[in-house]
């Protein structure tokens, strides 16, 4: 009995050190060496200031910016409280919120269907991307607010449109933060 107890304790200590200390340090070290940008959250700095992450959505509400998907994460875009609303499609609160968002967007384009990703949150509530259709829907507003031609703004959207990964995984998408940063760069003349 005593021998089995000692074996169990030693096995627990060895596996804890091996899988709880050594393995995480090795994997973290490899990630830092091989995938430094990805391992550190794909942060974007501009003029020495942290402006965001390529993989975490942000709220953009000013009319001169492309707007992101709505967020159900905490108080909105709260990365420490990631998650969806968990409302069922028949939930009255969800239906009312979506109807209100659709009405707001239809003021921009009366009688036009609003792309679904502009009025529904992603599963994490932190999706940094919108569909090309959602970006196209906003081109006229952004161009007008920034005093640019729609073709200029549309060209920027096209440049920021990423295809499916490996040609067949996921959907085409546009990263809202990167697109808005390029719009700001264009406005500064850089």
């Amino acid at each position: 009995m005593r021998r089995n107890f000692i074996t169990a304790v030693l096995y627990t200590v060895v596996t804890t050190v091996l899988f709880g200390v050594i393995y995480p340090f090795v994997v973290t070290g490899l990630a830092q060496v091989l995938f430094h940008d990805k391992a550190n959250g794909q942060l974007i700095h501009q003029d020495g200031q942290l402006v965001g992450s390529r993989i975490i959505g942000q709220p953009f509400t000013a009319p001169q910016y492309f707007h992101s998907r709505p967020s159900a994460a905490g108080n909105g875009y709260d990365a420490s409280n990631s998650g969806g609303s968990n409302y069922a499609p028949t939930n009255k609160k969800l239906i009312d919120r979506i109807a209100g968002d659709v009405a707001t967007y239809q003021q921009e384009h009366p009688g036009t269907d609003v792309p679904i990703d502009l009025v529904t949150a992603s599963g994490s509530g932190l999706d940094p991307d919108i569909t090309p259709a959602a970006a196209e829907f906003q081109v006229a507003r952004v161009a007008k607010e920034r005093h640019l031609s729609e073709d200029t703004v549309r060209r920027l959207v096209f440049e920021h449109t990423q295809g499916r990964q490996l040609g067949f995984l996921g959907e085409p998408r546009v990263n809202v933060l990167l697109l808005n940063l390029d719009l700001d760069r264009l406005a500064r003349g850089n």
Side-chain angles (χ1 to χ4, degrees):
M1 176 80 169
R2 183 169 184 222
R3 187 171 165 213
N4 289 342
F5 179 74
I6 291 172
T7 301
V9 168
L10 288 175
Y11 187 77
T12 301
V13 169
V14 169
T15 57
T16 299
V17 170
L18 184 64
F19 298 119
V21 178
I22 296 172
Y23 176 76
F25 275 119
V26 169
V27 170
T28 301
L30 286 173
Q32 288 296 324
V33 171
L34 299 174
F35 308 104
H36 183 73
D37 183 50
K38 291 183 180 185
N40 291 310
Q42 299 184 43
L43 301 176
I44 300 171
H45 292 84
Q46 194 172 53
D47 302 325
Q49 297 265 351
L50 176 65
V51 294
S53 167
R54 285 178 181 83
I55 56 175
I56 301 289
Q58 296 183 25
F60 287 97
T61 56
Q64 70 268 24
Y65 288 107
F66 282 88
H67 297 169
S68 302
R69 293 183 75 164
S71 175
N75 267 345
Y77 301 97
D78 179 2
S80 67
N81 196 5
S82 174
S85 69
N86 293 327
Y87 288 144
T90 56
N91 184 285
K92 177 96 169 99
K93 287 182 183 178
L94 179 63
I95 292 169
D96 291 346
R97 188 200 48 80
I98 289 174
D101 289 351
V102 167
T104 299
Y105 274 115
Q106 282 188 330
Q107 289 174 0
E108 280 181 40
H109 299 285
T112 304
D113 289 338
V114 177
I116 192 72
D117 55 316
L118 287 178
V119 295
T120 57
S122 66
S124 69
L126 299 170
D127 194 343
D129 303 316
I130 57 176
T131 61
E136 176 61 34
F137 185 84
Q138 300 179 71
V139 164
R141 171 182 40 84
V142 172
K144 179 182 172 198
E145 290 292 328
R146 289 188 177 261
H147 308 291
L148 297 169
S149 73
E150 287 186 24
D151 285 340
T152 300
V153 175
R154 197 170 280 115
R155 195 169 25 261
L156 267 179
V157 168
F158 179 77
E159 289 171 10
H160 283 278
T161 300
Q162 299 171 349
R164 297 171 188 257
Q165 293 172 307
L166 303 175
F168 66 95
L169 295 174
E171 294 295 325
R173 64 209 176 279
V174 178
N175 186 291
V176 177
L177 174 61
L178 296 177
L179 176 59
N180 285 333
L181 287 174
D182 267 2
L183 281 167
D184 285 346
R185 241 180 251 115
L186 184 65
R188 287 193 310 264
N190 293 349

